[in-house]
Amino acid sequence: TGKPFHDAIPFARTLIEAAPDRVLWGTDWPHPNVRVMPNDGENLDLFAAFCADDQWPRKVLIDNPTRLYWADA
C-alpha cells in the first residue's frame, strides 16, 4: 500500500520463517536509479519488523551472506 510498507511484514516473515538459513537482506544503496530517495533508517526499521525471532537479524545480515560470499573464509 506504499510507505511505510507495513503490509509487507507478514510476507517477509513467512519467507524468513520458511528458510532462515537462506534469506539475505539488501538494498540498492546508494540508490542510483530512483526518483524519490528512500529513507534508509525507515528501511532498517522495516527489516527489524520482519524479524519475529531474535536470531533472524544475525542470520539474514551476517551468517547467510558470509556463508554465500565467503564460504572458504
Side-chain angles (χ1 to χ4, degrees):
T1 59
K3 288 179 93 175
F5 306 110
H6 289 156
D7 55 326
I9 292 171
F11 299 102
R13 284 186 179 176
T14 298
L15 289 171
I16 298 170
E17 185 176 4
D21 294 321
R22 299 182 59 92
V23 175
L24 303 178
W25 181 75
T27 70
D28 65 342
W29 187 88
H31 317 296
N33 299 309
V34 298
R35 291 191 175 133
V36 177
M37 189 61 62
N39 181 314
D40 292 316
E42 289 175 356
N43 289 342
L44 193 55
D45 290 343
L46 185 61
F47 170 73
F50 292 165
C51 297
D53 183 300
D54 290 344
Q55 301 301 312
W56 289 357
R58 179 174 176 89
K59 286 178 179 264
V60 173
L61 296 174
I62 299 169
D63 297 340
N64 297 347
T66 298
R67 197 171 49 257
L68 177 65
Y69 295 111
W70 300 282
D72 58 346

